[in-house]
Amino acid sequence: MSELSHVDREGRARMVDVSAKAETTRIAVAAGELRTTAEVVALVRADDLPKADVLSTARIAGIAGAKKTSELIPLCHQLALSSVEVEFGFTETAITIEATAKTKGPTGVEMEALTAVAVAGLTLHDMVKAVDPAATVTAVRLLTKEGGKHGRWERPVAEEGDAIASGRLEDEKPSAAAHFVTDTPPEAIGRAGRGRDEDVRTAAILVASTGAAAGTRVDITGPILVEWLTGLGFSVRGPLVYADADIDVGLSDALRFAPALMITTGGTGPSPTDATPEATLAVLDRELPGVAEAIRQRGTAKFPLAALSRGVAGLVGRSVIVNLPGSPGGVKDGITVLEPLLDHLLAQVAGRGNHDNT
């Protein structure tokens, strides 16, 4: 008992003295979901519930909850939070929640991120209970934490995906596979791709759509990609939906997990608000122009206006990023081009493929 930091020599609960710890930048990402009905998900996305502006209300509640964590969790320290972000996504019968908390101080912000997810989830429940009183807030868990002497820790992707699929997250125990990866700063992790299990194929799906982010339109491109990649054995994060103006934030956040593959949809056209190619080019180490051009040519063969797509493809460390148009047809064209390339491409990027045919 005396070895547990929250317990003194007599076995009594105490607040840990962190005055001797170094102040470092601390970041934690947590996630959860509200499981409900397809009808409720559609109503929330269309902003058509009796209690309007559901997502904005839940986002504000999550941020407020993070700021009050030390009042809610007895032994937590008061922290000067530098940032709290709460984002939402959708599956057919759930609203996903992800919170990122940041601070510079002597102790971590895991509890702040988890509290933001929990409070946002409870607020969602309050907003939808008139339509679905059986809705469930579940799968609240820490995804990553970084900063301090232990560096970066991340939840094993395969284990997390298995746990969510089986609905056993409420009883989840820490796994021996859960590990602190490195003391390397998060931006270096994103560039180098370190800390990823080479045997687990990971992917992230980002959707650039101001309407979908606001809940005024329904995106169907993200679910198409999730179904495709899941069928190929990938563990998929997303779809993560961002307004066009915020897609650079989405890219930066997703790269912290160093996925093997990241696919974006939307924001590739010539409209003044389309910013996905610019945001992608800003983070790329190297381009893969042949991949982007093959996708354009595939689309143009059936739909001449596909030539207007400005999507790019390339590498960030060991992560492959591909921009696809924001239409179902454009996404399906992209899948057709990518599928025969994917295994060889990812193997080469990971340093395991042969170079005979490239």
Side-chain angles (χ1 to χ4, degrees), residues 31-33 35 91 94 96-98 138-143 155-170 172 235-238:
E33 60 185 49
R35 292 180 184 170
T91 67
T96 61
I97 311 159
E98 186 170 291
T138 188
V140 177
R141 75 269 187 204
L142 185 67
L143 297 182
R155 178 178 296 278
V157 178
E159 176 184 310
E160 179 194 340
D162 292 344
I164 295 171
S166 65
R168 63 171 172 84
L169 278 168
E170 293 82 358
E172 190 173 0
S235 178
V236 183
R237 182 171 178 240

Side-chain angles (χ1 to χ4, degrees), residues 195-209:
R196 182 172 65 235
D197 183 346
E198 298 293 352
D199 295 325
V200 176
R201 301 215 296 180
T202 58
I205 307 300
L206 272 66
V207 176
S209 171

